[in-house]
Amino acid sequence: MRLVLLGAPGAGKGTQAVFLKSHYKLSHISTGEIFRENLKDNTPLGIEAKKYMDSGELVPDAVVMKMISDRLERLSPRDGFMLDGFPRTVAQAEFLEKFLNGVNLPLDAVLYFHVPDEEIVKRLTSRLMCRSCGAISNSTNEKCPSCGGELYRRDDDNEETIRSRLKVFHDQTGQLVDFYRSRGLLKEIDAIGEPEEVFSRVLKLL
Ligand code: AMP
């Protein structure tokens, strides 16, 4: 199965990706995570991306497309995958469509997770991530509930940057909803509620 996970930052894409990964044995490809890893390792890609990430803006399409094609080329054709945080612009979606059609591996579905903006701000200002396993937690935890690793707050999870990431989502990524709806791939999910509850809605749609 080949999926795209679409939704505002904090809509729960990462959490649902964990469920989908174990249920369907899919590779999880998160462009934000690849940028954060590059940043941690101080690579030229990480240093370039940081300029945009800190203010909640999108990294330029050309940089993202190069990075994602390198990553997709490493997958074997039999591997299922889900893309999380990519595409974010219509240009990226067109690029992806061309790339996947070229290898005869088109997408099966695009899952669009809906959450109102005020709920997103509430979720992200109390969100912590695990340095070891990348799991998402909340600020009442001291250690990662999955692996016991150290929890940290992402630099871009502050209210000002969250608001600009939401604006970018509505301005640019929102157009992807029409793009994928017109191709009959869009599956819309109410992403309010417990993660397990949201996942059962996902399973009903797939
Ligand atoms: P995320 O972890 O998906 O919230 O991404 C964190 C940040 O990485 C975003 O706010 C962007 O600055 C950058 N980023 C991640 N994916 C993309 C993408 N597909 N296009 C442009 N920028 C991206």
Side-chain angles (χ1 to χ4, degrees):
M1 177 145 24
R2 293 175 294 277
L3 303 174
V4 162
L5 312 184
L6 201 62
K13 301 185 297 293
T15 303
Q16 294 304 312
V18 174
F19 290 123
L20 284 160
K21 183 174 175 155
S22 76
H23 194 88
Y24 292 109
K25 309 282 171 269
L26 305 177
S27 295
H28 177 203
I29 303 174
S30 155
T31 41
E33 203 46 53
I34 301 175
F35 285 133
R36 281 186 288 282
E37 274 163 24
N38 275 274
L39 196 55
K40 202 166 66 186
D41 297 340
N42 240 347
T43 69
L45 177 65
I47 293 164
E48 169 75 6
K50 185 171 164 55
K51 291 191 263 175
Y52 304 93
M53 292 170 81
D54 279 351
S55 56
E57 285 169 53
L58 293 184
V59 176
D61 282 342
V63 176
V64 187
M65 289 172 190
K66 164 87 180 70
M67 179 181 90
I68 201 82
S69 44
D70 288 348
R71 181 68 187 81
L72 288 173
E73 271 158 13
R74 279 194 271 130
L75 286 173
S76 115
R78 277 174 293 118
D79 291 341
F81 61 81
M82 60 198 149
L83 295 170
D84 168 2
F86 179 90
R88 264 177 154 98
T89 63
V90 171
Q92 291 180 14
E94 285 168 345
F95 169 84
L96 178 67
E97 186 173 60
K98 206 162 154 215
F99 183 96
L100 294 178
N101 285 344
V103 288
N104 206 16
L105 296 169
L107 291 174
D108 294 300
V110 174
L111 305 179
Y112 176 31
F113 296 94
H114 283 274
V115 178
D117 283 4
E118 286 317 306
E119 170 69 18
I120 295 277
V121 174
K122 220 165 35 176
R123 282 186 187 184
L124 291 186
T125 47
S126 63
R127 174 169 87 167
L128 297 176
M129 287 186 92
C130 175
R131 276 198 206 283
S132 310
C133 71
I136 294 153
S137 186
N138 63 56
S139 48
T140 56
N141 294 113
E142 283 183 9
K143 295 267 177 212
C144 172
S146 308
C147 75
E150 185 197 348
L151 296 174
Y152 76 105
R153 185 175 307 284
R154 274 172 50 171
D155 287 347
D156 56 356
D157 279 349
N158 63 75
E159 182 154 354
E160 193 188 340
T161 312
I162 292 166
R163 297 240 176 238
S164 72
R165 285 157 70 202
L166 276 171
K167 182 169 181 332
V168 168
F169 175 76
H170 292 301
D171 290 351
Q172 307 213 31
T173 317
Q175 296 172 31
L176 294 180
V177 170
D178 295 333
F179 180 94
Y180 285 121
R181 189 179 284 131
S182 72
R183 281 150 176 80
L185 288 171
L186 197 75
K187 311 241 182 246
E188 303 192 48
I189 297 134
D190 168 8
I192 292 284
E194 290 302 314
E196 292 78 7
E197 208 182 311
V198 175
F199 186 56
S200 71
R201 294 179 201 140
V202 170
L203 287 181
K204 279 195 200 127
L205 288 171
L206 288 176

